[in-house]
Amino acid sequence: MTHIQKRNPQQTRDRLVRAALDLFTTRGYHASTTPEIAARAGVAEGTIYRHFESKQHLLNEIYRAAVRLLLKAPQASVSGSCRERLAAVAEQWRDVAARDPALIKLVFFTDLEGLLDAKSREIKTELTQALTRIIASGKAAGEVRAGAADVWAEVWLALTVLTLGRIAAREWPATAPAVVQVRDAALEALRVREAPPDVRTL
Amino acid sequence: MTHIQKRNPQQTRDRLVRAALDLFTTRGYHASTTPEIAARAGVAEGTIYRHFESKQHLLNEIYRAAVRLLLKAPQASVSGSCRERLAAVAEQWRDVAARDPALIKLVFFTDLEGLLDAKSREIKTELTQALTRIIASGKAAGEVRAGAADVWAEVWLALTVLTLGRIAAREWPATAPAVVQVRDAALEALRVREAPPDVRTL
Amino acid sequence: MTHIQKRNPQQTRDRLVRAALDLFTTRGYHASTTPEIAARAGVAEGTIYRHFESKQHLLNEIYRAAVRLLLKAPQASVSGSCRERLAAVAEQWRDVAARDPALIKLVFFTDLEGLLDAKSREIKTELTQALTRIIASGKAAGEVRAGAADVWAEVWLALTVLTLGRIAAREWPATAPAVVQVRDAALEALRVREAPPDVRTL
Amino acid sequence: MTHIQKRNPQQTRDRLVRAALDLFTTRGYHASTTPEIAARAGVAEGTIYRHFESKQHLLNEIYRAAVRLLLKAPQASVSGSCRERLAAVAEQWRDVAARDPALIKLVFFTDLEGLLDAKSREIKTELTQALTRIIASGKAAGEVRAGAADVWAEVWLALTVLTLGRIAAREWPATAPAVVQVRDAALEALRVREAPPDVRTL
DNA sequence: AATGAATGAGGTTTCATTCAT
DNA sequence: TATGAATGAAACCTCATTCAT
């Protein structure tokens, strides 16, 4: 009667993560049911609970993994001018959006109000903080227009996310003219310049 | 035994709309139950269905009313330079955000994936179209930087919405420096200038 | 599709209480499922939750009602000798056992470990306390053998409950010789005598 | 990858029995899950089913072992007066209660309604029968008050079990005054006397 | 004999909706 | 129009049991 599939447990977990990610980002969290998730992963419903404490824990684990992936970009980009560093982050994120749109949708386009736990909320703020640090250093170097660094971070993020959303939705290819238009608009908004010649070296 | 409240039917409907709006924008649609909505409106559960076909119809009616309200701003602003018109729209929307934050949250910050009907999706596109028209006219007048008008509309909207969200969340007062910073950034991004002197008039 | 039964809500509640009482005392709490309870009450499963917060609350409400009923006996019996008062309690409880065996089974023969809430545990101790008070007054009057009153209460209760169980199980009629045998054994165990003549009156 | 513990199979079985006994008597049968039992026994979930057909079989085997142990006392006590024999049984059972409270709890204080199989129910009746035989012989010798022997057996058992419960729960030490009080009350209830002088021997 | 991932029936509970009053 | 008890499908989750390893 019972047909037990033997599989590498990591494999099962991965299938569940993928199924949940896809459903959460298309239907939303509440509209994605555990039977659906299990069916899409090709496992029994109970199997979900051998790998995750609850549906909400499943969401949070996926969410944190996604944010952690996005955090790599600003964390890796430590050298170069502010402009170059922001460009590097945007480029890597566009790659993610093209390769795995669901990740982008989960982090930036899914309403997770009241579903994220403390750890998830914390890592989420790290994202804006990482951007704020890049811009703050750019300000110190005179590359950025006057204004609060965290606000500039939000401005840049809002416009970058606009692009990511279209790429993730396959509405814009990653190389569309609109992508360049928005990217330049973001830099223009902050008036991020190349580092000016260092006066002291003269 | 049953205690029937005699009330102006419009009043009852309004109370339901307000209750639903508040709940949808704080808890989200799925997490807001019809018993809760009725309780907050001070009516019986069944009363909802005297005024709305279903919970989803209720949402759509509220949504359309909200978008219609926001549409007033671009539709009213028919004269003046592009810069002036955008400024007028932003100002009116900031007023809305300060006065009735839930409206802003519903339209711009609530995930309504799969819940909106055709009519709602249609009126939503009217919003960006109205903005696009303003910018297109600005482009014709040479006030806006090169680039697709609908993309500029999205850029301006993304930054304006960023501000509205903070105002609606009571995180920024409508007159905060950050509001000015973002507003100017948006205009700078599009490089929206005052109308240049009309050569033909010389 | 849906067929809504209109009934007096109190009636529905009573039917649920009766169904749950019967099932809890025959199958046990855990083995009685909510579908079974609803079916036996002739209502839909969801109806349970309009009347009780949860299955466990349902149990506790029934439990307290049962104990409250049993408490009436010792509370009513305020006058007379200790022997008479205990006899009165036993008689009333035997009536309950004959009339509504499930009540007796729930209070004395169902394992409710970990299922009773604080209020229920509290009212349960009132039962032994009420008995202890009767015996303590008997001791003061010299009607009861030496020994801790609360222990005598437990002894009397153990033997009375033995009888109640058989009556409730319909194994003994309320008037069986065994009932008399155990009742007298209980009184003998405590050596509950009629009140001796009050020396002071001589 | 799988780590197989090599152990004496009897040892594994014993660990499972102990774990189940402990859990069944603290949480109850239904509230004790097989994963919990396995965890407490330090074995894998599946291992339970190498030693027992099912959870219910496990319960029944434990139950019968427990009753068998308790049966030793009345079966061993074949000589002496009725009073002495009952005293011997009680003493041995008090030892069990002090040494292994779970056994006492399982047999006398756990609701096993609907869980015991025919064999278990049968051995359980042997317990009262053994007591009944002791009392019947006492009656024949004129040591016990008039009344049905099986009822006296139940009376004596009810009071003895009262004591065992308190000892098992560590609420009374085995030598508490209350223990003596209840023991004597039981004997008094039956009016178990020392054997009267045998008239025929005069 | 032992493992433990997988199963799936079935548990409790929620909630949008209905309809007799 | 309003009520609110009733409905029942369906949600999330548990857990005794199986079986490939």
Side-chain angles (χ1 to χ4, degrees):
Chain A
M1 192 101 304
T2 356
H3 223 40
I4 293 183
Q5 279 282 64
K6 267 291 153 106
R7 241 198 293 266
N8 182 330
Q10 181 58 43
Q11 217 176 96
T12 300
R13 203 192 139 93
D14 288 349
R15 295 166 66 86
L16 280 167
V17 164
R18 171 51 52 191
L21 186 53
D22 288 350
L23 285 168
F24 289 164
T25 54
T26 49
R27 297 205 204 316
Y29 176 82
H30 288 287
S32 307
T33 70
T34 47
E36 270 176 332
I37 295 168
R40 180 180 268 252
V43 301
E45 213 180 334
T47 301
I48 294 173
Y49 297 88
R50 288 197 70 79
H51 293 271
F52 304 94
E53 265 187 60
S54 70
K55 189 185 167 190
Q56 202 173 332
H57 277 85
L58 168 56
L59 169 70
N60 275 277
E61 295 211 19
I62 297 176
Y63 180 81
R64 285 198 289 270
V67 175
R68 241 178 269 122
L69 182 78
L70 295 180
L71 261 175
K72 276 188 191 168
Q75 283 170 349
S77 142
V78 288
S79 68
S81 70
C82 177
R83 188 187 187 95
E84 286 163 352
R85 292 171 71 191
L86 290 176
V89 171
E91 197 188 331
Q92 288 176 54
W93 285 2
R94 283 195 298 267
D95 283 353
V96 173
R99 217 181 329 113
D100 197 345
L103 283 183
I104 294 297
K105 285 188 203 155
L106 185 70
V107 175
F108 296 119
F109 295 93
T110 307
D111 192 355
L112 302 175
E113 186 61 52
L115 298 169
L116 298 184
D117 59 25
K119 240 181 358 178
S120 294
R121 286 194 303 271
E122 190 184 353
I123 200 171
K124 187 193 176 132
T125 63
E126 282 181 39
L127 207 64
T128 23
Q129 284 173 357
L131 294 175
T132 302
R133 273 195 299 275
I134 292 179
I135 287 169
S137 75
K139 280 194 53 151
E143 301 170 73
V144 177
R145 191 198 297 225
D150 59 338
V151 174
W152 286 141
E154 303 235 34
V155 165
W156 183 86
L157 185 61
L159 295 181
T160 304
V161 162
L162 165 60
T163 295
L164 296 178
R166 296 312 178 94
I167 295 173
R170 308 281 191 232
E171 290 169 13
W172 294 351
T175 56
V179 172
V180 178
Q181 182 180 343
V182 177
R183 182 197 63 193
D184 291 346
L187 297 174
E188 199 64 24
L190 279 61
R191 191 149 334 131
V192 185
R193 295 260 162 71
E194 281 314 314
D198 191 331
V199 182
R200 291 168 303 175
T201 63
L202 295 181
Chain B
M1 200 94 304
T2 2
H3 238 25
I4 293 183
Q5 280 283 2
K6 242 351 190 349
R7 240 200 294 267
N8 181 330
Q10 180 58 42
Q11 217 176 93
T12 299
R13 200 192 142 94
D14 288 350
R15 295 168 63 86
L16 280 167
V17 163
R18 170 51 52 190
L21 184 54
D22 288 349
L23 285 169
F24 289 164
T25 55
T26 50
R27 298 204 207 313
Y29 175 82
H30 288 286
S32 307
T33 70
T34 48
E36 268 179 331
I37 295 168
R40 180 180 266 252
V43 302
E45 295 176 44
T47 303
I48 294 173
Y49 297 87
R50 305 247 129 238
H51 295 271
F52 304 94
E53 262 186 63
S54 70
K55 188 185 170 189
Q56 201 172 334
H57 279 84
L58 168 56
L59 169 70
N60 275 278
E61 296 212 16
I62 296 175
Y63 180 82
R64 285 197 291 270
V67 175
R68 243 179 267 122
L69 182 79
L70 294 180
L71 263 175
K72 278 187 189 167
Q75 284 170 348
S77 143
V78 288
S79 69
S81 70
C82 177
R83 188 188 185 97
E84 285 164 353
R85 293 171 71 191
L86 289 176
V89 170
E91 198 188 329
Q92 288 177 54
W93 286 0
R94 283 195 298 267
D95 283 352
V96 173
R99 218 182 330 113
D100 197 345
L103 283 181
I104 294 297
K105 285 189 204 154
L106 184 70
V107 175
F108 295 120
F109 295 94
T110 306
D111 194 352
L112 302 174
E113 187 62 52
L115 298 169
L116 298 184
D117 58 25
K119 241 185 352 181
S120 293
R121 286 195 303 272
E122 190 184 352
I123 198 170
K124 185 189 179 138
T125 63
E126 283 182 37
L127 208 63
T128 26
Q129 285 172 357
L131 293 175
T132 303
R133 275 194 299 275
I134 293 178
I135 285 169
S137 76
K139 280 193 54 147
E143 300 170 78
V144 178
R145 191 197 297 226
D150 60 339
V151 174
W152 286 138
E154 302 235 34
V155 165
W156 182 85
L157 184 61
L159 294 182
T160 303
V161 162
L162 165 59
T163 295
L164 296 178
R166 296 312 178 92
I167 294 173
R170 308 283 191 229
E171 289 171 12
W172 292 354
T175 57
V179 173
V180 178
Q181 182 180 343
V182 177
R183 183 198 61 195
D184 291 347
L187 297 174
E188 199 65 21
L190 280 61
R191 190 150 334 135
V192 185
R193 295 261 161 70
E194 282 312 315
D198 191 333
V199 183
R200 292 166 303 175
T201 62
L202 294 182
Chain C
M1 192 103 303
T2 357
H3 221 41
I4 293 182
Q5 279 281 66
K6 267 289 152 108
R7 240 198 294 265
N8 182 329
Q10 182 58 43
Q11 218 177 94
T12 300
R13 202 192 140 94
D14 289 348
R15 295 167 64 87
L16 280 168
V17 164
R18 172 50 52 191
L21 187 51
D22 289 350
L23 285 168
F24 289 164
T25 54
T26 48
R27 299 205 204 315
Y29 176 81
H30 288 289
S32 308
T33 69
T34 47
E36 270 176 332
I37 295 168
R40 180 180 268 252
V43 301
E45 218 181 330
T47 301
I48 295 173
Y49 296 88
R50 288 196 72 77
H51 293 270
F52 304 94
E53 265 187 60
S54 69
K55 188 183 168 191
Q56 202 172 332
H57 278 85
L58 168 56
L59 169 70
N60 275 277
E61 295 211 19
I62 297 176
Y63 180 81
R64 285 197 290 268
V67 175
R68 241 180 268 122
L69 182 77
L70 295 180
L71 262 175
K72 277 187 191 169
Q75 283 169 349
S77 144
V78 288
S79 68
S81 69
C82 178
R83 189 188 184 95
E84 286 163 352
R85 292 170 71 191
L86 288 177
V89 170
E91 197 188 331
Q92 288 176 54
W93 285 2
R94 283 196 297 268
D95 283 352
V96 174
R99 218 183 329 112
D100 197 345
L103 283 182
I104 295 296
K105 284 189 204 154
L106 185 70
V107 175
F108 295 120
F109 296 93
T110 307
D111 191 357
L112 301 174
E113 185 61 50
L115 297 169
L116 298 184
D117 58 27
K119 241 182 356 180
S120 294
R121 286 193 304 268
E122 190 185 352
I123 200 170
K124 186 192 177 133
T125 64
E126 281 182 39
L127 208 63
T128 24
Q129 284 173 358
L131 294 176
T132 302
R133 274 195 299 274
I134 292 178
I135 286 169
S137 76
K139 281 194 52 150
E143 301 170 75
V144 178
R145 191 197 298 225
D150 59 339
V151 173
W152 287 139
E154 303 234 34
V155 164
W156 183 87
L157 185 60
L159 295 182
T160 303
V161 162
L162 165 59
T163 295
L164 296 178
R166 296 311 179 94
I167 296 174
R170 308 282 190 232
E171 290 170 13
W172 294 351
T175 57
V179 172
V180 178
Q181 182 179 344
V182 177
R183 182 198 61 194
D184 291 347
L187 297 174
E188 200 64 23
L190 281 59
R191 190 152 330 136
V192 184
R193 295 260 161 71
E194 279 315 315
D198 191 331
V199 181
R200 291 168 303 174
T201 64
L202 293 183
Chain D
M1 200 93 304
T2 0
H3 239 26
I4 293 182
Q5 280 283 3
K6 243 346 189 356
R7 240 199 293 267
N8 182 330
Q10 182 58 41
Q11 217 178 91
T12 299
R13 201 191 141 94
D14 289 349
R15 296 167 64 87
L16 280 168
V17 164
R18 172 50 53 188
L21 185 54
D22 289 349
L23 285 169
F24 289 165
T25 54
T26 50
R27 298 204 206 314
Y29 175 80
H30 288 286
S32 307
T33 69
T34 48
E36 267 178 331
I37 296 168
R40 181 180 265 252
V43 302
E45 295 177 45
T47 302
I48 294 173
Y49 296 86
R50 304 249 129 236
H51 294 270
F52 304 94
E53 261 186 63
S54 70
K55 189 185 168 188
Q56 201 172 334
H57 278 85
L58 168 56
L59 169 70
N60 275 278
E61 296 212 16
I62 297 175
Y63 180 81
R64 285 197 291 270
V67 175
R68 240 179 269 123
L69 182 78
L70 294 179
L71 263 174
K72 278 187 190 169
Q75 283 170 349
S77 143
V78 289
S79 68
S81 71
C82 178
R83 189 188 185 93
E84 286 163 352
R85 292 172 72 192
L86 289 177
V89 171
E91 198 188 330
Q92 288 176 55
W93 285 2
R94 284 196 296 268
D95 283 353
V96 174
R99 217 181 331 111
D100 197 345
L103 283 181
I104 295 296
K105 285 188 203 155
L106 184 70
V107 174
F108 295 120
F109 296 93
T110 306
D111 193 354
L112 301 175
E113 188 62 53
L115 298 170
L116 297 185
D117 57 27
K119 244 191 338 187
S120 293
R121 286 194 302 270
E122 190 184 351
I123 199 171
K124 186 188 177 137
T125 65
E126 283 182 37
L127 208 62
T128 24
Q129 285 173 357
L131 293 175
T132 302
R133 274 194 300 274
I134 292 178
I135 285 169
S137 75
K139 280 193 55 149
E143 300 169 75
V144 177
R145 191 197 297 227
D150 60 340
V151 174
W152 286 140
E154 303 236 34
V155 165
W156 182 85
L157 185 60
L159 295 182
T160 304
V161 161
L162 166 59
T163 295
L164 296 179
R166 296 313 179 91
I167 294 173
R170 308 282 191 230
E171 289 170 14
W172 293 353
T175 57
V179 172
V180 178
Q181 182 179 342
V182 177
R183 183 198 62 194
D184 291 347
L187 297 174
E188 200 64 22
L190 281 59
R191 190 148 335 133
V192 185
R193 295 261 161 71
E194 281 315 314
D198 190 333
V199 182
R200 292 168 302 176
T201 63
L202 294 182

